[in-house]
Amino acid sequence: MLNIAEVIEKNSETIVSLSPAPESYIKLTECVDKIPLTVDDHLQSTCKQPFEATGVFKYVVAEYKIAAEGEDIKKVYDLTLKTESAVTHRFNPGDTVGILTKNFDYDVDAVLSQLKIDNDRIYYQVEIDTATKKKKAAIPPYIPSFIQIRKLLSECLDLRAIPKKLFINALINYTSDDAEKRFLSILGNKCGNAFDDIVLKSRLNFVSLLSYIPSCKPTVELLIEHLPRLMPRPYSIANLYDNSQQSTKIRVIFSLREPNPGLTTSFLEECCINNATVFLYFRKSSSFSIAYDDLQRDVIMIGVGTGIAPYLGFLDQRELIINQGDKSLGRAWLFAGFRYELRNYICREEIERYLKKTALTSLSVAFSRDQNYACHYVQDQMEANKEDLVRILSSSNGKLFVCGDGKKVLPQVAKKIEEIMSEVLGISIEESARLIIDNKKNGAYVEDIWL
């Protein structure tokens, strides 16, 4: 727990040097006699989206099930969304959608309370202040021309962003308590380590910072100027495009991290419970997809937990082609990792059906918390099957997909591949690492990275 009195005492001899607060440039004007937007739409639904292939569509919950829950495992939702919109976009196996998310209600309430905003549903027009001296002042493209304060805070601004020094400096002018001003000055100081130690290392976000400076009451205009965009979150599509349904259904699989679930997973859970609307768009296809030529290749798929989601679309496609009588498919080998076989082996029946129908030709599963299993992690299964695995990886016909956490799972998998290729091929770790780099460059080693 941060104690600002201790921070001030520790820095009592510190001479503070602050960069000038940036020039304000946003102006809000109350709309008296008109309602200029559709209340139910997400405020970011009409702006340009990151990596967009389409505009934003409105979806609702078609069905969902809880695929796993209980002690020592993440709660997993298997969610299918449907739309009545005319969607002409044809997505590929491995593609993703971007989901327009919302901030936690309690974070929005905390900001509204501190800013003393009682009527948060009045409409305002967002304009450039004609009195500003800021050069090339422009309204951020994700801020619509007309807003309500609650929806603005809920849907447009990242309330849990790590504040920059310039923002901290600007907050000083809206703070009345001398001790809190001194605290902010110490954080915004050009010199010293306070900002790094207190803000960056502990990841002190804007809402948390406000809780330590209750006399600080910034304007909404200042928040628009300094808080970054609340970004949409990408999710893998876990189903194949259905011609008969013209892409009206999208399946996503997500898990909630306890005790601190993510923003969008919490939002999606709320949508399941309350049958709320989900605004999403289709993102451009990346290299993490199955092209037509890949169907004849030997494919290795590695995923942990919900990291198997994109592979369900891969295997759906292979099953469809097999049902059409095509016998030219390459091998498909899935390495999957879960905590417990009986409690959170998600999509097990589907995976076993793919195996039975030969859409999936090999399956290697690991269970990290089941002591009776020799292979606790996917890396253990990779080690146990290293000769066959390296044979595919070394072949011009092989292709590897890895889906998972970019900070933990993907580096561990890459390290294990380096080790087994070095051992089986009789080459150095450095040579093995270069082979992996080459395979990434030529598209034979593809990652879907979670941040």
Side-chain angles (χ1 to χ4, degrees), residues 161-381:
I162 307 301
K164 296 181 179 179
K165 278 190 178 184
L166 283 179
F167 187 18
I168 291 173
N169 292 347
L171 291 175
I172 296 172
N173 294 329
Y174 298 88
T175 305
S176 57
D177 182 85
D178 289 340
E180 294 171 16
K181 283 186 175 184
R182 175 64 179 174
F183 170 65
L184 290 174
S185 298
I186 292 168
L187 295 184
N189 193 7
K190 290 181 180 179
C191 306
N193 300 319
F195 180 80
D196 291 347
D197 293 341
I198 297 172
V199 178
L200 295 184
K201 290 182 181 178
S202 63
R203 300 198 60 78
L204 181 67
N205 63 55
F206 170 66
V207 173
S208 297
L209 175 63
L210 276 188
S211 69
Y212 292 108
I213 47 173
S215 77
C216 182
K217 293 174 174 46
T219 62
V220 175
E221 289 90 336
L222 190 77
L223 302 190
I224 295 174
E225 292 167 0
H226 287 276
L227 283 175
R229 177 181 183 175
L230 182 62
M231 298 295 290
R233 305 304 202 260
Y235 283 81
S236 295
I237 302 172
N239 61 293
L240 185 64
Y241 179 92
D242 189 340
N243 285 316
S244 65
Q245 296 180 3
Q246 296 181 334
S247 185
T248 59
K249 289 190 175 181
I250 294 295
R251 181 187 181 192
V252 295
I253 299 173
F254 65 93
S255 62
L256 278 83
R257 181 185 66 247
E258 298 294 349
N260 298 307
L263 196 64
T264 312
T265 52
S266 298
F267 165 66
L268 288 175
E269 181 182 45
E270 180 183 333
C271 290
C272 291
I273 296 170
N274 299 322
N275 198 28
T277 302
V278 178
F279 291 88
L280 63 82
Y281 65 97
F282 294 88
R283 289 160 50 98
K284 293 178 181 178
S285 295
S286 69
S287 58
F288 197 92
S289 61
I290 291 287
Y292 180 79
D293 292 344
D294 292 329
L295 295 171
Q296 282 71 46
R297 302 178 72 169
D298 293 331
V299 176
I300 297 167
M301 302 165 286
I302 301 176
V304 176
T306 56
I308 67 166
Y311 305 135
L312 301 178
F314 289 13
L315 296 171
D316 267 351
Q317 184 182 47
R318 289 173 59 88
E319 184 179 49
L320 177 64
I321 291 173
I322 289 171
N323 290 341
Q324 293 172 344
D326 192 331
K327 305 295 184 181
S328 64
L329 292 178
R331 292 178 61 189
W333 190 352
L334 175 63
F335 288 80
F338 307 96
R339 286 192 174 184
Y340 300 98
E341 180 184 17
L342 300 180
R343 295 173 54 203
N344 74 322
Y345 186 170
I346 61 174
C347 304
R348 180 173 186 169
E349 292 181 0
E350 284 179 81
I351 291 171
E352 291 178 348
R353 187 193 78 231
Y354 292 133
L355 196 61
K356 183 177 181 180
K357 293 191 174 184
T358 68
L360 182 63
T361 53
S362 300
L363 174 64
S364 300
V365 189
F367 302 101
S368 62
R369 304 292 172 89
D370 278 338
Q371 299 304 314
N372 293 332
Y373 284 87
C375 295
H376 288 164
Y377 302 100
V378 289
Q379 300 95 297
D380 298 330
Q381 282 286 12

Side-chain angles (χ1 to χ4, degrees), residues 37 53 67 81 124 259 289 384:
L37 54 81
L81 301 165
Y124 292 89
S289 61

Side-chain angles (χ1 to χ4, degrees), residues 45-89:
S45 60
T46 59
C47 71
K48 186 174 178 62
Q49 306 297 334
F51 306 104
E52 66 177 14
T54 69
V56 173
F57 299 101
K58 183 186 297 186
Y59 278 74
V60 296
V61 174
E63 60 180 340
Y64 76 91
K65 66 178 180 180
I66 298 175
E69 66 177 335
E71 184 180 357
D72 196 32
I73 59 174
K74 293 180 180 179
K75 190 175 185 179
V76 177
Y77 279 83
D78 189 337
L79 168 64
T80 299
L81 301 165
K82 65 179 180 180
T83 183
E84 295 181 356
S85 301
V87 181
T88 59
H89 178 73

Side-chain angles (χ1 to χ4, degrees), residues 32 61 71 75 82 92 102 108 147 258-259 300 360 389 409 437 445:
V32 179
V61 174
E71 184 180 357
K75 190 175 185 179
K82 65 179 180 180
N92 299 315
K102 295 183 179 181
V108 175
I147 56 98
E258 298 294 349
I300 297 167
L360 182 63
L389 188 56
V409 174
I437 292 172
Y445 185 134

